[in-house]
Amino acid sequence: MKTKRRNFTPDFKVEVVIEALSGHTSHAELCRKHNISDIQLSKWKRQLLENAATLFESTDKHTQVSQQRITQLEQLVDRLKSELDIHQKVSTLLKGKRSLPE
């Protein structure tokens, strides 16, 4: 019988890692308390520490990337609106020619 793999929420991981980094509880005690392996806790700590610097990165970088994407999408919408207008005008003209008596 296979055991079911547990999934931990990001909030839970952060809570446990912060508790570990505070030093109030030993690594082993935390693992027993939360029923996780020593390797798992070490992995979470490493991930947090490796990615902590990104928390303090300028939001300007993210804002700039988002703004560029918005600009691209606005340009696409404008182009598609123009193409739709052209198709509607052509369709109207073609319908008008068909209704004329020969």
Side-chain angles (χ1 to χ4, degrees):
M1 183 172 154
K2 290 186 176 184
T3 58
K4 217 175 185 183
R5 187 175 185 159
R6 296 184 302 166
N7 289 321
F8 299 99
T9 66
D11 288 338
F12 175 78
K13 294 175 184 180
V14 168
E15 181 182 320
V16 173
V17 170
I18 289 174
E19 194 174 349
L21 294 174
S22 73
H24 297 325
T25 310
S26 75
H27 201 87
E29 287 177 276
L30 280 173
C31 291
R32 282 192 299 274
K33 176 181 171 184
H34 296 291
N35 194 24
I36 57 175
S37 72
D38 180 58
I39 294 170
Q40 187 66 68
L41 181 54
S42 296
K43 180 181 173 185
W44 292 347
K45 280 173 58 176
R46 186 180 67 252
Q47 287 176 324
L48 178 70
L49 294 173
E50 286 174 354
N51 295 305
T54 60
L55 295 172
F56 301 104
E57 283 182 351
S58 171
T59 56
D60 292 341
K61 180 180 179 183
H62 300 293
T63 303
Q64 184 180 15
V65 170
S66 296
Q67 189 57 48
Q68 287 174 343
R69 183 67 179 145
I70 289 169
T71 301
Q72 290 172 341
L73 291 171
E74 287 173 338
Q75 290 171 349
L76 177 62
V77 167
D78 288 343
R79 192 182 91 231
L80 291 173
K81 284 167 100 177
S82 296
E83 289 178 11
L84 181 60
D85 287 345
I86 291 169
H87 287 290
Q88 287 175 338
K89 288 176 183 176
V90 168
S91 177
T92 302
L93 288 172
L94 290 175
K95 285 180 186 176
K97 285 186 176 181
R98 288 186 190 144
S99 64
L100 293 175
E102 293 184 25

